[in-house]
Amino acid sequence: MNFIIPSFAPAIPEMVLLALTSLILVADTFWSKRYQFATYYAAQLSLVFVGYLIISSFTTSTVITFDGSFVRDSFADILKLFIVLTTIGIFVFSREYLLQFKFFAGEFFSLGLFGVLGMFVMVSANNLITMYLGLEIMSLSLYAMIAMRKDSAHAVESAMKYFVLGALATGMLLYGFSMIYGATGSITFTEMAKIIEAGNADKVVLSFGLVFIVIGLAFKLGAVPFHMWMPDVYQGAPSAVTLYLATAPKIAGFAMMYRILIDGLPGLVHDWQGLLIMISILSMVVGAFVAIVQDNLKRMLAYSGIGHVGFILLGFIAANPEGYSSAMFYVIIYAITGVAGFGMIVALAKTGNEFDKISDFVGLNQRNPWMALMMLFIMFSMAGVPPFVGFYAKLLVIEEVVNAGFTWLAVVAVITAVISAFYYLKVVKAMYFDNNEDKSKVDTISSELNWAVSLVAIALLVMGILPSSLISLCYSSLA
């Protein structure tokens, strides 16, 4: 029996991240008592170093290693870079919030790094087992992070709800995996695609397996009708955790869907396309209408996120590289906008007031005009108002779905986008046109967060004025 040593080079960022995270986890037990922020700075430096490793070894070719279970390509590198950037922003916002609400702990950052490791594995997975391992590494970190604030009944309830429903969805996903393996005899995506293309697999088993997989994927992304956990978990979790939950994992979820459906099951495109059309329409409609009646901003953003998932699925429905690229651009922009939106809530939170109700923003223009302007940027970008970058995200997926022959679906998307604009403008109206008897100034927790929110919100405008670089990057990675 000959044992061939696999190439470790494509997975160096993951291996370095694992080593650094394990080191930080151990070191936190003895240095956190003397240096409170040591773990925070170590986590940020680790992310910067891993980001540097990805950029310095950026590849435009496809490299497969570990017996076909791990793939490194430009698609993976770009998504990993944005996961790193998003997580750096999340950690910046979270530090001050955790101090403010007196549950600052190094474990938050250690778990966050393990979550990033899970996302990296998902993005580069080339078989079903690797994908499952990455998903579980990420999910277990999220369960623990949501329940970190032990004195909050809402946080513990959210963690339980997310854990139970997450386990159910994972079970569905695994059941689908087992059926696909039973039908094709392979767990590697490229091998599965070849066997299905050759017509050597039982179509009935494949169809059942596909349905369970799509259900599992829809749950992880928060698409209707598997969205029930999102509003409750977003509202109940501490805002810093919601910020993490609602942003970087969405990029990993997109990559998971791409690897399984496009790399592994392209021969079943007509089957999963029909399922995605139904899920996309339901997500856009429910996201648009239910968000209107929400008075809690985190719940409103949760339903808004459900609607955005519907738009992301439009790129998959187009079923061509241009469509997938537009969905990739959308999910990256959504993650950045999510950091800005939930980051605003975190930045304005004060002890005893999470600042997560729309009523908290009434008259904000009189109490802090700059923050009101930044919130206006964020709401306009989410609504898809030009020249903010959210406009181009919506425009691209709608254009690709029209080019693919689904004009009627594009009409549904435009109608729901117009309806969605109502609840974003409701926040703007509260800030600029509603009167608040309390005229006291509203400040951010720290000047650092003031800068952070401003930087991300202004970036939404700048990227909207100059969108071509990021669009080209996404399209070239999947050309």
Side-chain angles (χ1 to χ4, degrees), residues 72-110:
R72 176 97 185 261
D73 51 19
S74 56
F75 169 76
D77 280 357
I78 292 169
L79 291 185
K80 287 175 190 174
L81 272 176
F82 278 99
I83 288 172
V84 167
L85 286 173
T86 305
T87 308
I88 289 173
I90 292 166
F91 284 177
V92 168
F93 283 108
S94 301
R95 187 186 73 159
E96 300 295 332
Y97 177 89
L98 298 177
L99 284 171
Q100 186 78 18
F101 286 87
K102 304 187 187 312
F103 68 106
F104 184 93
E107 290 87 347
F108 177 89
F109 303 102
S110 302

Side-chain angles (χ1 to χ4, degrees), residues 165 169 172 211 214-230 279 282-283 306:
L165 292 175
M172 293 278 188
V211 169
V214 170
I215 289 173
L217 292 173
F219 177 90
K220 295 300 178 185
L221 283 171
V224 179
F226 311 103
H227 65 291
M228 65 293 286
W229 61 274
M230 271 185 71
I279 293 173
L282 287 172
S283 299
I306 291 166

Side-chain angles (χ1 to χ4, degrees), residues 231-299:
D232 292 343
V233 174
Y234 277 30
Q235 184 181 3
S239 295
V241 179
T242 308
L243 169 62
Y244 186 97
L245 184 64
T247 52
K250 297 297 182 190
I251 298 177
F254 163 79
M256 181 183 181
M257 179 167 273
Y258 180 85
R259 293 294 187 200
I260 294 176
L261 296 185
I262 313 305
D263 285 353
L265 305 172
L268 302 178
V269 60
H270 295 298
D271 297 309
W272 55 254
Q273 195 178 43
L275 292 171
L276 294 189
I277 287 173
M278 287 189 289
I279 293 173
S280 174
I281 293 173
L282 287 172
S283 299
M284 288 189 291
V285 171
V286 171
F289 282 99
V290 182
I292 291 174
V293 297
Q294 305 301 319
D295 57 6
N296 182 284
L297 192 57
K298 287 201 291 187
R299 285 187 77 86

Side-chain angles (χ1 to χ4, degrees), residues 382-461:
M382 285 187 178
V385 175
F388 295 94
V389 71
F391 167 74
Y392 290 98
K394 282 188 167 65
L395 179 68
L396 285 179
V397 291
I398 290 173
E399 183 182 357
E400 297 302 342
V401 88
V402 168
N403 291 339
F406 294 95
T407 307
W408 64 273
L409 191 54
V411 173
V412 175
V414 171
I415 292 171
T416 55
V418 172
I419 295 169
S420 301
F422 175 81
Y423 55 78
Y424 295 122
L425 294 177
K426 192 168 76 171
V427 178
V428 175
K429 172 182 169 291
M431 292 190 300
Y432 282 90
F433 300 106
D434 291 351
N435 187 42
N436 192 334
E437 293 181 358
D438 184 2
K439 306 294 182 188
S440 60
K441 186 172 175 57
V442 174
D443 280 325
T444 53
I445 295 176
S446 69
S447 59
E448 185 184 63
L449 292 195
N450 195 334
W451 282 101
V453 169
S454 303
L455 180 67
V456 185
I458 292 172
L460 298 175
L461 176 61

Side-chain angles (χ1 to χ4, degrees), residues 355-371:
F355 219 88
D356 60 353
K357 298 181 180 62
I358 295 176
S359 58
D360 291 329
F361 287 80
V362 171
L364 184 63
N365 182 48
Q366 299 166 338
R367 304 170 72 189
N368 191 329
W370 179 252
M371 281 295 107

